[in-house]
Amino acid sequence: MEPVVVRVAGRVGGGMPAAASPRVAAVAGMFGIALQQRQDRILFEPLDIPLAPGDVVLITGASGAGKSTLLRALATGLRAAGVPVMDLARIPLP
């Protein structure tokens, strides 16, 4: 199988903020985070990622940096290219 080039872009946020629990509100207040202010945030610019069969991909970064967003975008792009993707979150545990 030939390498597949997956184009991904990461943007999160927008819309109305979710209702925060008292604990979330307290922690947000400790860090000076206003829960009412929610806006779009670009996690990564559009980029092309070439992937070939047998490639091992390591995604690292700080908490909240967009690792899960990037992984979901990669899975979506691979599925669109007809490449089978295993989603471990969808496999029931015994």
Side-chain angles (χ1 to χ4, degrees), residues 71-72 74-88 90:
L71 188 59
R72 281 191 294 275
L74 280 171
T76 299
L78 288 169
R79 284 187 187 104
V83 177
V85 175
M86 181 185 304
D87 186 345
L88 297 179
R90 295 183 183 184

Side-chain angles (χ1 to χ4, degrees), residues 44-93:
F44 45 89
E45 295 291 335
L47 63 136
D48 294 330
I49 302 175
L51 298 170
D55 281 355
V56 175
V57 178
L58 174 66
I59 301 172
T60 66
S63 177
K67 298 178 297 292
S68 295
T69 300
L70 175 58
L71 188 59
R72 281 191 294 275
L74 280 171
T76 299
L78 288 169
R79 284 187 187 104
V83 177
V85 175
M86 181 185 304
D87 186 345
L88 297 179
R90 295 183 183 184
I91 297 174
L93 297 174

